[in-house]
Structure formats: C-alpha cells, structure tokens
Amino acid sequence: MTEAVAFTIPLWADLLAVGVGSLQGAMFASGFRDRRLDLLGIAIIGVATGLGGGLLRDIFLVVPLIALHTNWYLSVAVLSALFGMLLVRLFERLDIVITFLDALTIGLFGAIGTTKALSLGLPVIPSIFVGMVSAVGGSVVRDVLLAMPIALMHVGSLYAVAAGLGTVVLVVASALGVPITIAAIAGVAVTTVVRLLAVRYGWSLPEQRAIR
C-alpha cells in the first residue's frame, strides 16, 4: 500500500463534475430526434450520465455512495440536465460544445476518482484503474440507456486512453511533489486535450481483425 494522500476532494469539485456530466448527457440525448425521447427520458439520461462515474467509483472503492447521502448531487444533476435541454433548444448545432463537455467530463471524473483512491491509500496502479472507470462510467451508462453501441469499446473513441494518460500524469506529478490540486488540474487538461485531438484528427487504436 502507498501512503494515503492527505487530501479531501472539495464538494464543489465533485459537483462540478456531476453538473458537467449531466449537462453533456442531456445535450447528447436531445440530439436524437428519431428516438422520440420525452423530457423525462432526456432528464433521466442526463442525470445518469452525471452520476454514473461517481457511483461506479464509490462501488469500486467500497465506500458509501456519496451521491445518495446528500441532497446536493441529485439536485445539481437534475438542474444541469434541464439546462442541457434548454441549450439544445436554443442552438441548432452544438456538436463542438457536446464534444468539449464530453472530454471535460472524462477528465474531471478521472482526476477525482484517482485522487480519491490515492487518498484512501490504494496503490498507484489500482488508483489509476479506479480513475479510468470513474471517467468512462457515465458515458457507458448513457450509451446503454440510449440503446447505442458503447463508444468506449469502438474504434476512434480513445475514451479510456485519454483518461489513462490524464490519471498517469496526475499520479506522476503528485509523486514528484506537485501539490495534488495542481496535479489534478494537469491531469484534467491532458485528458481533455487528448480526447479533443483524437476527435479532431481521427486518432484511434488498431482495429481488431480476424486472423485468416
């Protein structure tokens, strides 16, 4: 076991991740006109996207599900999802915004998940794993609810790769003595930039092909 990081994740940081995730999830779901989703359906998808990563993080860490132990998380998730629906109705094309929020959500949850794991005394590798699960959890839940192929598992997403790079940067920076807050910000930035560049330039891992 590594030494526990003497750091408590601020409530505002966790709520920011939930809010951005819920906003992105609702905006993403609102773009599927052919699914004929009603407002409640879109709100549920938005809330699930915002809370999914944090819930999975706490399950893996075997700690109380913090989102269900205070009024703040569900309130922020619902309000953010409603705001996401409003934004989609105000603007016709928000692909760039949705992509950015998606990348930012991955970065935020990755950093928070890794930091929380380290603060509980988990070794470095498991902490990185928890951060990656936290980062991609919301998008997986979103895709399942929309009955879509899970983006994480398909060529061109680089969700896990971006989250992994960001969490590694956080861990390495922290090990080098960088304050955990600065290390977390650096991790979020790396994840966000890598994900955006992957979308912009079509970066992807090699596709699995059958051996002939």
Side-chain angles (χ1 to χ4, degrees):
M1 298 281 283
T2 58
E3 290 188 13
V5 178
F7 180 76
T8 300
I9 298 170
L11 177 63
W12 66 264
D14 221 0
L15 292 179
L16 175 63
V18 169
V20 173
S22 297
L23 179 71
Q24 187 275 337
M27 292 173 66
F28 184 85
S30 297
F32 291 89
R33 305 296 185 187
D34 57 323
R35 300 296 177 93
R36 301 189 65 185
L37 295 169
D38 60 19
L39 296 181
L40 177 60
I42 292 175
I44 290 174
I45 291 170
V47 170
T49 305
L51 296 179
L55 292 175
L56 285 175
R57 172 198 67 206
D58 292 343
I59 290 172
F60 272 80
L61 293 175
V62 196
V63 297
L65 305 180
I66 189 171
L68 303 181
H69 284 75
T70 172
N71 293 322
W72 282 107
Y73 287 83
L74 280 170
S75 299
V76 169
V78 170
L79 290 175
S80 298
L82 294 175
F83 187 57
M85 287 187 283
L86 177 63
L87 284 180
V88 169
R89 291 180 177 276
L90 289 176
F91 303 97
E92 291 184 1
R93 296 188 62 82
L94 285 171
D95 291 346
I96 296 177
V97 175
I98 293 175
T99 300
F100 173 75
L101 290 175
D102 189 30
L104 181 60
T105 300
I106 297 171
L108 288 171
F109 274 111
I112 291 173
T114 302
T115 301
K116 188 168 185 176
L118 289 172
S119 70
L120 292 174
L122 267 67
V124 169
I125 300 301
S127 295
I128 292 174
F129 174 73
V130 170
M132 292 175 65
V133 170
S134 179
V136 302
S139 66
V140 171
V141 173
R142 177 200 67 199
D143 293 344
V144 169
L145 290 176
L146 286 170
M148 295 175 53
I150 298 176
L152 168 68
M153 302 173 65
H154 288 75
V155 172
S157 70
L158 286 192
Y159 274 98
V161 172
L165 290 174
T167 55
V168 168
V169 167
L170 188 160
V171 168
V172 171
S174 177
L176 292 175
V178 176
I180 192 66
T181 301
I182 303 300
I185 292 174
V188 172
V190 169
T191 297
T192 303
V193 170
V194 170
R195 170 61 182 156
L196 291 176
L197 290 176
V199 173
R200 174 65 178 82
Y201 295 106
W203 294 348
S204 66
L205 293 177
E207 182 177 354
Q208 172 64 38
R209 297 183 182 276
I211 299 177
R212 298 182 183 279

